[in-house]
Structures are given as structure tokens and as C-alpha cells.
Amino acid sequence: MSFDFQLFQLINNLAGRNPILDGLMCLLVNDYFLTTSMSLILVAFWFEGQDRGQRERNQKAVLRAIVTLFIANILLKLCNLVYFRPRPFVGHEVNLLFYRPTDSSFPSNPATVGFSLTVAVWLYHRRLGALLLALATLFGLSRVYCGVHYPSDIVAGALLGGLSAYLVVRKGSLFDPLISLIIRTGRRLYLA
Amino acid sequence: MLNFISVHLAINYSLLAFVTIVGALQLVAARHKLVGLALIGTVRRPAWGYLLAIILIAGSFAWFFATTPEVFVPGLAGAELAVLFTTAGICALVFTLFVSSILHRVQRQERSDLTGEGRLSHKPVSLQLLRGTLYLPDDGADAPRPAICVLPDSSERTLLSYPLVAALIEEGFIVLAVDWGPQEEIHYPAVLGLLPSAVAYLTRRDDVDPERIGVLGVDLGGDLAIRSAATDQQIAAVLALAPFLDRANTQPGLGILKEMSYLEALCWARFRQRGKLVAELSPLDSIGQLGSRPWLLVYGDRDAVTPVEGARVALGGEMTRGKVKTLPGEEHLSLARSPAASVLVARWFGENL
């Protein structure tokens, strides 16, 4: 038995023992709660900052996070095209607290989304990045707890998201003209 | 790609996104005192803003999970969520800006009604280029007096409500409030003739001491006052309330929502020549040409348009001959109406003319 599956069982076997923990994980695992919460944080972060310079830096972080999300999703689809991994509930006895997704388990889509936003923001703002990191980690953990992902899916998703963010933020000067244009337009409209 | 297999889920998610984004905007408004985004008074009561934000965000999540059983079955795809969230976000922003503007207008109306601003006796002046209003003290003294040319913010139509005119009259000054004329007719270099013609008018009057004429400018008027004083030696002292100094300050972006509602900001933006005029007037260069004549720049410490720190940095070495003063609690737009500024202006001209 692989270490990945052992770790999966260790986490997934906690499911079904404590109704409160199960309820909490069901809240975290769905496609709406954490994705919407993280998006709301980005909305608020757009307006954050005491002066124009600080706001511009934060707005660049938000726009780069959005670009990262697109890039990470493209990379994820490419991975899905070349490699398909069945979900843990296919061929194993698991505690399933969620519906049965039919797409590839590897790499985890929610982990890719969560960690791409997290790393893109973390490279600009450590404290907010830490908050997003906590949310993304909970998102990944809940997917394993509820039986829809292996831990290695989450790690791969996190690496893919993190790498995309690093490339966009540190090496993505290609997007700078577009990002500057959006911020300039926003400023003219008194929204940036 | 966009199937929206559950219409009920899509509608509920859109409502969730809409209300939570309004909540997030309230959080930001309370944190940064952005009156242009606030649905309730945040400057005086930020706690109410935070409370409203928490109620909107937590309440809408609770409502969504309580009324949407489709959350735990295959539902909306990522792209569908993104489309719904973005659409709801735009709607929430427009809603917040519009409702906030209406509420801000109502509150401002109430404040204005409560103020009950008095009227000053005045007479219109109209001579070739010069249009304005002359205010004379009625204390019966015959000796020639010092006089102040006042150039208001270019978006102001009248100076009658300014307490600072009353304070200057009280101090014994003759005050000539210069009218910019219609905004569409304000152009460089024609504006350079405004203050010299006003000063020339005052020097021809028997009741004015031609050696004691000062200029007071507000906002863009401050920039023009500085520039005019640099070339007109008859101007003995210059005081500017919240001048822009730099073209970049005429594009304050989101910061302007700390001082006005979004609709007011759009009206403020309609005077498109503002930035170009500041660049052409180059007030920073002109300050260096004032020589030994006294000058003072006054800013509110809550000025979101022209932060006083920016003015201090921009002035650099010029600070030795004049001063930059900060008034606590005042904003860019409120400064000229503040009683504290009126007292300061009247006292400063009293000491320097």
C-alpha cells in the first residue's frame, strides 16, 4: 500500500465519527463556500491601501492573481489531457461525504485554484497570503477528508497553482501593459 | 461550457455573490472611511459599517446553504461560477455606488439645512475680463484698508457661503471674490489675466491700500494664486488652501471617495482641464519666484486629494521661505468652509499685510 493511500486513509477514516466535524468539512468541501470567500478577499484587497502607491501594489496583486487563475486552469486541463487518475472512491472502500465527481483526481482542481490565488497574493502581502494559505489548506484537507481526492492530488494541485503564480508574478512582465491599463482605467473611473 | 444545469442554484449563487460583495464593500468603506462606498455613515460610526458588513456576509452565506440543497450535488462548473460572481460583482458595485450617492446627498442636505449659513452684504463687479463680487466692511473707517482677492475652487459658483469671507471682513479687509466664469471658458493662458485684473481694480479704489493686497486661492484657485503672485509684484502675500501643486494630484482615483460620493466625483471630473491647467500653471516653479514675500499653504490632515505629505515632499527646499500648515480633521473639499481655516486665514493676512 502506497504512502499516499495510507495518508488518505488516515484522514478519510476520521469521517463519520464526529457529526460536527463532518458538518464543518461538508461546508468547506463544496464548490461555493471557500471559493466565494477567497474571491471576496480579493475584492476587498482591490480597495485596500492607505495611499495611491499601496493601493496600486495591491491591485496589481489582485490582477496577477486572476491571470494566475487562468494560467493554472489551462495547465490543469493540459495535465488532465495527458493523465487520468480515478477518484479514491473508484476501486476503494472510502467514507464519501460528497458527490462523486467524474473528472480526473490528479491534480486537484480546488487545490490548484486555491493555491494559485494564495501564492499570487502572498508574494505581495504576507499576512493576507497567510490567511489565504490557511483557507486553501483547509480546502485541500476537506477534499481528502470527504473522500474525493488523494493527498498527492492536493500536493500536485498546490505545486501547479504555486508555480503558475510564481511565473506570473515574478516572470510575467508580458501581462504588465494590460494590468497597468486596467489600473489606469480604474483610476480614471475613481475605482482604483 | 456554460450550461447552468440548475437555474435555482445559479440564481441563489448570484444573490449570494451580490450580497456578500456589497458586504465586502461595506467592510472596505468602514476600514478606509470611504463615504463614496458606504451605505451607512462610516466616518463617524465605522463600527456600524463593520456590523453591516458582517450581517450581509454571514447572513447571505447562512441563507444560501439553508435554501440551496443543490450545493451538495454536481452543480455549477468553475467557469459558470466565475461568470456569475463577476456579473454579481459589477451589479453590487453599481448598486453600492448609486445607493451610497443618494444617501450621501440626503445626509449632506440635512447638514446644510442645519448649518443655516448667513448672507453677507456684497455688490457685483463687472469690468472687461473681471467678474466678481466685492465685500466691504461696514465699520465706518475712512483710511485705506488692506484687500484680499479670493479665487475659489473652479467648481464653486459662489463664495457667499464661505465663512472665511466673513472672517476676512470681520478682520477689516476688503474682499474681492473673483469669478472664474463658465468652466468651458477656463483656458491657459487666458486665466493668467484673472488675478492681475482684480488687483488692478483694487488698486484703483480709494478705500484700498495698494501696498497691502494679498491673494487667497482655494484648490485650483490656489495654484493660480501662486502663479499670479510670481509675476505680479503688487501682490504682497499669498495664501493657498489645498492647491494641487502637481498634475498627479488632480487624478486622485479611489481616494476621492473618502470625500465625496461617486456621483459627486463624476461631476468633479467633468472639469477636464483641471490637470492640464495645473501642469501649465506649474505652481511649484512659481513658489521659487515669490522672493521675500510671505506665503502659506494650508491643507487638511484628511485631504485625500492632495495629501499634505506630498506637498511637503514636492516643495522640498522652498519650505524655508514659506510654510505648509495642516488643519486637523479637514478634507480637501471641506477646508475652505471650515471655521478653523477662516480664523487661520484672517489671522495670517492680519499679520502679513
Side-chain angles (χ1 to χ4, degrees):
Chain A
M1 206 188 301
S2 69
F3 172 71
D4 189 26
F5 188 64
Q6 282 179 344
L7 189 58
F8 170 81
Q9 282 189 315
L10 187 72
I11 299 169
N12 184 245
N13 282 343
L14 296 172
R17 292 182 184 179
N18 184 334
I20 295 172
L21 190 59
D22 286 356
L24 180 68
M25 287 299 169
C26 283
L27 178 71
L28 297 175
V29 78
N30 68 75
D31 303 326
Y32 307 96
F33 182 66
L34 283 175
T35 48
T36 306
S37 301
M38 292 174 98
S39 305
L40 286 176
I41 289 172
L42 287 191
V43 169
F45 195 42
W46 175 271
F47 296 97
E48 180 62 30
Q50 293 297 337
D51 55 48
R52 203 159 39 191
Q54 226 177 57
R55 273 201 305 274
E56 185 173 332
R57 189 177 149 81
N58 295 342
Q59 285 155 5
K60 279 183 178 170
V62 172
L63 292 174
R64 289 216 163 97
I66 293 168
V67 172
T68 299
L69 199 58
F70 279 105
I71 303 283
N73 266 298
I74 290 168
L75 294 176
L76 181 79
K77 297 296 172 204
L78 290 174
C79 287
N80 291 163
L81 282 177
V82 296
Y83 178 66
F84 182 88
R85 183 188 203 184
R87 298 280 175 163
F89 52 77
V90 179
H92 294 291
E93 194 71 33
V94 302
N95 294 312
L96 187 63
L97 299 183
F98 198 52
Y99 66 81
R100 293 170 178 267
T102 53
D103 55 341
S104 175
S105 187
F106 182 93
S108 160
N109 191 342
T112 308
V113 169
F115 282 92
S116 62
L117 294 181
T118 297
V119 177
V121 171
W122 189 80
L123 289 170
Y124 284 92
H125 197 286
R126 294 289 192 266
R127 270 196 299 176
L128 194 62
L131 172 66
L132 288 172
L133 180 67
L135 295 181
T137 306
L138 277 176
F139 203 8
L141 193 66
S142 69
R143 305 292 288 194
V144 181
Y145 183 95
C146 292
V148 289
H149 275 298
Y150 294 103
S152 58
D153 301 338
I154 305 298
V155 172
L159 287 174
L160 186 63
L163 182 70
S164 308
Y166 181 80
L167 289 176
V168 169
V169 175
R170 293 279 188 252
K171 311 284 179 195
S173 54
L174 179 72
F175 304 104
D176 286 354
L178 177 66
I179 286 169
S180 298
L181 178 70
I182 293 171
I183 292 174
R184 272 205 312 276
T185 308
R187 194 171 289 159
R188 276 200 204 104
L189 294 171
Y190 302 115
L191 295 174
Chain B
M1 195 175 175
L2 300 176
N3 299 314
F4 299 109
I5 56 167
S6 169
V7 174
H8 179 248
L9 176 59
I11 291 172
N12 278 14
Y13 183 74
S14 302
L15 284 171
L16 168 77
F18 177 84
V19 180
T20 51
I21 292 169
V22 172
L25 294 175
Q26 294 319 295
L27 200 69
V28 171
R31 184 166 151 76
H32 293 292
K33 297 186 169 60
L34 288 165
V35 294
L37 280 178
L39 295 178
I40 52 175
T42 57
V43 175
R44 291 177 188 170
R45 298 184 299 267
W48 287 101
Y50 288 120
L51 185 65
L52 178 64
I54 291 166
I55 289 171
L56 288 175
I57 295 171
S60 52
F61 268 120
W63 164 82
F64 178 73
F65 283 104
T67 60
T68 321
E70 300 96 320
V71 166
F72 300 105
V73 296
L76 299 171
E80 292 169 342
L81 284 178
V83 168
L84 292 178
F85 189 86
T86 307
T87 310
I90 293 167
C91 293
L93 185 61
V94 171
F95 169 84
T96 304
L97 293 171
F98 184 69
V99 173
S100 170
S101 294
I102 292 171
L103 294 175
H104 188 69
R105 193 185 176 119
V106 171
Q107 285 165 355
R108 180 161 283 192
Q109 187 71 42
E110 282 171 2
R111 278 203 299 274
S112 172
D113 290 346
L114 286 171
T115 311
E117 290 156 341
R119 299 277 179 197
L120 298 165
S121 61
H122 59 282
K123 67 174 188 177
V125 175
S126 180
L127 287 166
Q128 293 172 331
L129 278 177
L130 178 64
R131 299 276 181 282
T133 310
L134 187 71
Y135 300 87
L136 296 167
D138 53 359
D139 54 7
D142 290 333
R145 301 163 177 277
I148 310 291
C149 285
V150 183
L151 202 57
D153 166 8
S154 56
S155 60
E156 291 288 342
R157 293 200 174 276
T158 173
L159 265 176
L160 285 176
S161 61
Y162 280 177
L164 64 84
V165 174
L168 287 167
I169 297 287
E170 183 82 9
E171 195 72 15
F173 290 101
I174 289 173
V175 177
L176 174 59
V178 181
D179 188 350
W180 284 90
Q183 282 189 347
E184 56 275 15
E185 291 174 20
I186 301 173
H187 295 292
Y188 184 88
V191 288
L192 293 179
L194 274 178
L195 278 175
S197 58
V199 171
Y201 167 79
L202 287 171
T203 52
R204 286 197 299 271
R205 289 184 63 91
D206 294 335
D207 52 358
V208 171
D209 180 349
E211 303 294 315
R212 297 167 70 200
I213 296 175
V215 290
L216 164 66
V218 180
D219 184 86
L220 181 61
D223 297 292
L224 182 54
I226 294 165
R227 170 63 185 263
S228 300
T231 49
D232 189 339
Q233 295 300 320
Q234 275 192 299
I235 296 173
V238 191
L239 196 154
L241 295 176
F244 289 105
L245 296 182
D246 191 343
R247 185 177 191 161
N249 292 327
T250 63
Q251 296 162 344
L254 183 66
I256 203 167
L257 298 186
K258 287 184 178 179
E259 297 205 15
M260 60 179 93
S261 73
Y262 193 70
L263 293 183
E264 286 173 332
L266 291 182
C267 289
W268 191 79
R270 279 194 310 195
F271 182 41
R272 294 184 188 282
Q273 303 99 303
R274 191 180 278 114
K276 192 164 171 273
L277 272 171
V278 171
E280 287 165 337
L281 291 171
S282 58
L284 281 174
D285 297 334
S286 302
I287 283 179
Q289 297 162 25
L290 291 175
S292 57
R293 287 174 288 170
W295 57 269
L296 177 67
L297 308 185
V298 182
Y299 291 91
D301 71 345
R302 287 187 4 213
D303 189 328
V305 178
T306 316
V308 66
E309 295 79 17
R312 287 206 167 99
V313 170
L315 283 165
E318 302 299 343
M319 294 283 287
T320 49
R321 276 171 293 191
K323 271 186 186 171
V324 177
K325 207 167 174 59
T326 311
L327 283 182
E330 297 301 335
E331 300 170 341
H332 187 84
L333 299 174
S334 70
L335 187 62
R337 294 172 191 276
S338 100
S342 306
V343 171
L344 173 73
V345 166
R347 202 173 54 210
W348 188 84
F349 276 120
E351 289 165 0
N352 290 281
L353 276 182

